[in-house]
Amino acid sequence: MAEHFIERPRYSCALGGAFFTSTALPETVSIVHSGSGCAGSFAWGQNGGSGCQVGGHCAALAAAGTNVQEHEVVFGGEDRLKEEIEGTLKVLDGKLYLVLTGCVTEIIGDDVNAVINEFKEVGVEIAAALTGGFKGSSYKGYDIVLKALIKDFVKPALEKIPNRVNIFGIVPFVDPFWRGNLEGIRDLLRGAGIEANVFFTPDSKLADLEYSASASLNVVVSGVYGIDPAAEFERIHKTPYVSLPLPIGAAASASFVRAVSSALGIDSESYIESETEKYYKYLELLTDCYTDLDFQRYALVVGDSNYSVAVTKFLANEIGWVPVLAQCTDILTPEEQDRIKELLADGITSDVHVVFDTDGSQSAVHLKEIWDENRHGVYANTFSPAFVAGSSLERATAEQLGAGHLSISFPVSNRVIINRGYTGFKGGLTLSEDLLSVLVSPR
């Protein structure tokens, strides 16, 4: 059997995803109980690939950590963890202290809950998530942290508030546009009279998560991620959930709002019609340039399950491109792969070949396997003019194909991202601007 390796992976370990999730939560102080170097590796390996989002209060290189060594491996690290929590309480102010475990401390069997219970008894708001890196990718870490907080931190609600929802499925930093995307979803639903708890935006409060059980519905904007936390939420707090694709552009946003509204039992059709009309009035001004300058392209999309679905459907349904191949780079079970295929096939105007391969460097190989340049007899039908929507790693593939390129999925190392997002009606216009600007920028 031939060996297979990934030279440049597009995610870190479960501890990494847990760390990103924890540090993105407002008023939360992360304490990493692991070997030395984990947080620093995440800071540059993951945060650096999220549009240069390296920094923040008690985050990245400023995170608290036990930095366990050989002594703790032999004799256990519980005393070291207790010492680190005591020190952290003295110098870092937070409303919630969240302990995250790494591979070493889980393998040696530290009883983290016994340690934090000592602090709970004296009134410290502290929780723990067992996030050994070997448990999966950074997407898994996001699910683990939220499940732990739903169980140990979210307070039961006496009653549900109509038209209030919680949003799951967008992993901070692993989605480089996480802040803008969450704000876009919140604004999209707000227009329909729906209040959305998004947890991770700069104006969010920890109380949004703490009292999230008052929501009437949980909305998972993913076919894979956030579903386990939503199921745990339903088990404990009796809140139902729906799983929907990431909404980018008019068609996807209309479908998204309609589905959430239906689950809540409200009518949002007038709002959808108004926003759709306004959306196409903006795009109407580009029609002559689009046709006369021949902006249409074949497309190759490379990204995680959220983006490979949402962006592919956007290209086909919104700007009239012809996506030929969508490569999903996640580690997915066969059932999850089937779910992604279903989401991608639903309502798309183009026939797209879907592959599941964690190695993004193979995208050109997959494209060659499905693209027959002589399919029309004597006239060669080359993959041109073309465009590659993927990560920064796809720049070389785009150059090889003579195609345009835009980084829209992790890692994004050639763009600075602050609050840019692609969700909703407005986000679809922003993505249209970014894609078409690549075509005219050499002029």
Side-chain angles (χ1 to χ4, degrees), residues 3 48 56 66 129 157 184 201 220 247 297 306 316 344 399 402 408 421 424 434:
E3 292 185 0
T66 55
T201 57
V220 184
R297 293 292 187 272
N306 287 1
L344 189 50
E399 291 175 351
I408 48 88
D434 289 351

Side-chain angles (χ1 to χ4, degrees), residues 15 18-19 22-23 28-35 38-39 42 58-59 62-68 77 80-92 94 96-102 105 112 115-116 119 124-131 145:
L15 174 58
F19 180 67
S22 176
T23 56
T28 301
V29 175
S30 306
I31 301 174
V32 182
H33 185 38
S34 70
C38 287
F42 300 146
C58 305
T66 55
N67 296 321
V68 299
R80 177 70 192 94
L81 175 59
K82 181 178 179 180
E83 178 186 31
E84 183 64 26
I85 294 173
E86 290 172 342
T88 301
L89 291 172
K90 292 177 182 178
V91 299
L92 296 176
L96 172 66
Y97 295 84
L98 182 57
V99 177
L100 308 171
T101 57
T105 53
V112 175
V115 176
I116 68 170
F119 293 92
V124 176
E125 191 70 79
I126 188 168
L130 303 181
T131 53
V145 163

Side-chain angles (χ1 to χ4, degrees), residues 185-313:
I185 290 171
R186 182 182 60 192
D187 294 343
L188 175 64
L189 293 176
R190 180 185 293 153
I194 300 169
E195 177 190 358
N197 275 333
V198 294
F199 306 135
F200 299 108
T201 57
D203 55 351
S204 296
K205 303 295 182 184
L206 187 61
D208 296 338
L209 176 61
E210 186 176 9
Y211 299 103
S212 57
S214 63
S216 297
L217 180 71
N218 288 325
V219 180
V220 184
V221 287
S222 173
V224 178
Y225 307 114
I227 291 180
D228 281 352
E232 181 78 350
F233 209 113
E234 184 173 31
R235 183 184 70 82
I236 296 174
H237 300 289
K238 312 306 178 186
T239 307
Y241 72 91
V242 293
S243 171
L244 303 166
L246 195 70
I248 301 178
S253 295
S255 178
F256 179 82
V257 173
R258 193 171 286 118
V260 176
S261 299
S262 176
L264 292 171
I266 64 176
D267 182 12
S268 58
E269 288 305 316
S270 61
Y271 166 70
I272 293 172
E273 291 175 6
S274 173
E275 289 299 301
T276 301
E277 181 180 4
K278 182 167 65 173
Y279 178 91
Y280 287 112
K281 282 184 177 178
Y282 278 114
L283 285 182
E284 184 180 19
L285 298 176
L286 285 175
T287 52
D288 285 351
C289 280
Y290 186 97
T291 54
D292 292 350
L293 300 180
D294 194 14
F295 280 166
Q296 191 177 46
R297 293 292 187 272
Y298 291 114
L300 164 64
V301 180
V302 182
D304 66 17
S305 57
N306 287 1
Y307 277 95
S308 59
V309 171
V311 172
T312 300
K313 295 177 76 169

